[in-house]
Amino acid sequence: MAALSGKVVQHNLVAKCCQQDRELSTKYRLYYCTLSRRNLLPPVGGKLAWNGNSTMQLDALSKFKRGIVYCNAASSSTAIPTIEKRNFLKLQNGSDIRGVAVDGVEGEPLTLTETVTEAIAAGFSGWLLAKKKNVSSKCLRVSIGHDSRISAQKLQDAVSRGLARAGVEVIQYGLASTPAMFNSTLTENEEFSCPVDGSIMITASHLPYNRNGFKFFTSAGGLGKPDIKDILERAADIYKNIANDDSKGAETAASLNVKRVDYMSVYASNLVAAVRKAAGNIEKPLEGFHIVVDAGNGAGGFFVGKVLEPLGAITSGSQFLEPDGFFPNHIPNPEDKTAMKAITKAVLDNRADLGIIFDTDVDRSAAVDSSGREFNRNRLIALMSAIILEEHPRTTIVTDSVTSDGLTTFIEKKLGGKHHRFKRGYKNVIDEAIRLNSVGEEAHLAIETSGHGALKENHWLDDGAYLMVKLLNKLASARTSGLGGGSKVLTDMVEGLEEPAVAVELRLKIDQNHPDLQGGSFRDYGEAVLKQLENTVELDAKLLKAPVNYEGVRVSGYGGWFLLRLSLHDPVLPLNIEAPSKEDAVKLAHDVLNAVKEFTALDTSALTKFVGV
């Protein structure tokens, strides 16, 4: 969807969106303007039947060339199945919504149909209206963006219909990054219809091409788990009313209430300004630096033309910048070994100073120095900690639970900070950093091994592009200070980080149909496994349980450590082991196996294979 020099392209706009609302039928005006009163809506019954049809099947998909490829919308005349509320709630994935948006993959029926999506968007409108009780006299504005997924256009149109039917002014950004969507709630620029009251990003991060989902934001940040549940409950109530109506009202509302804006130019210009400021307001502080970017065919390609090149960087050798929802080159994921090999090769082949890689929606990132050394997982955390602790001495660094003991030593002994290891989940880590600040403990960085990193200075938003800007700031300021060029300044900052010889993650699945569960939940079963392991460790003099631990069972021994925890969403117990040798890692794994082997519903095959039993 095109934008003209950053200007707003309007579609038959009426002067005021509240006047636009009068164009809608009385039925929808009354219904959607009282979305928060869910008790007035009829209950939804019936069986699950996610049979919404996409006109594009797998055999057709394979014929498309690279570029932004979108799924065609299902016909509005398609019969709408009845869906129970519990099936809406199954779409929740922590603080996001995710589901199957493209038909054709065996065993994966559609769950994010257009009608379901429309109901979710209307549910968000109701949630937002309830939060902003003092703005009932004016219409709400909500921005929509999406990554490169093939179902993006279909879902964007459905979201727009759901919002517009509710009387909400819709601002479409087209291809965008997740961080930019949050920033649109903060930017004050009426030319770009900012700030918006709420924002919706259509993305499923690095998941396969047939998946998609939604992330939601207000100026207070990303929504939490209770908020997502609330939205889905509202959506379930709304769904039947949408399903029983023809599409004319929605199409009319959408044509009246939609604007298209090139907001990514605004977001990118802010990143450029941040680097220039760090370098002493030099126009092209990266002039002469050779920096390559791997966008993984996601939404991060803008970083080359709109950030690096205006700063003077050489970007030849950058790859996979064009959006392609099939992700034909590699999974856009900084944790993926193939992805990291791809950016490392690009750096070495082009003799670049630095390589940068993003995930699909640019809320995660990693880097590679000129020698091919990766800055991801513990190394990225160490590097960011070194940068932040220079700016804020003795501050607390909050990380997820699977970070290494060597990282703790590096942060506390070498950098003089405090390492606060918390739970897995980027929202958990961010919320914990915010909580620490609220009780008087200064924390400026919350970061996961996955590449999610959020800073206090950036409104606690996990922004992969902003994380890389902090690295660019260091390069630019080092040159200005006469400390030399290239990425050596970054490599030197992680000197002394102790890294294990062996680091593995083994996933132990729980069979939910096994009679050992006795009809109970996998979560209760997993907790029983953890309790058994904890009791066993306490009786073993060779093992030491971590005195402070917020997730699972973390134990030191044989010069290394292990952590067994319950997955946030799935019937899986991930086991992380780090040790100075394979022999020591096997000893730790053997102790875990002996403690849990009586739990017959637990698949320990990965563990037995590792220990060689």
Side-chain angles (χ1 to χ4, degrees), residues 521-549:
S521 72
F522 77 82
R523 191 159 296 280
D524 290 340
Y525 193 82
E527 293 293 348
V529 172
L530 294 175
K531 186 62 179 176
Q532 172 67 19
L533 176 60
E534 186 176 22
N535 292 338
T536 302
V537 167
E538 289 177 349
L539 299 175
D540 192 332
K542 300 186 298 297
L543 302 176
L544 178 64
K545 190 177 73 170
V548 179
N549 186 51

Side-chain angles (χ1 to χ4, degrees), residues 13 35 92 109 112 196 230 321 325 399 456 524 578:
L13 285 170
L35 289 172
Q92 180 163 4
L112 276 184
V196 294
D230 188 346
L321 304 182
T399 74
K456 184 178 181 181
D524 290 340
E578 291 189 3

Side-chain angles (χ1 to χ4, degrees), residues 510-512 517 519-529 566-573:
I510 299 172
D511 181 358
Q512 297 184 79
L517 263 69
S521 72
F522 77 82
R523 191 159 296 280
D524 290 340
Y525 193 82
E527 293 293 348
V529 172
L566 187 58
S567 170
L568 296 175
H569 311 297
D570 303 316
V572 174
L573 286 163

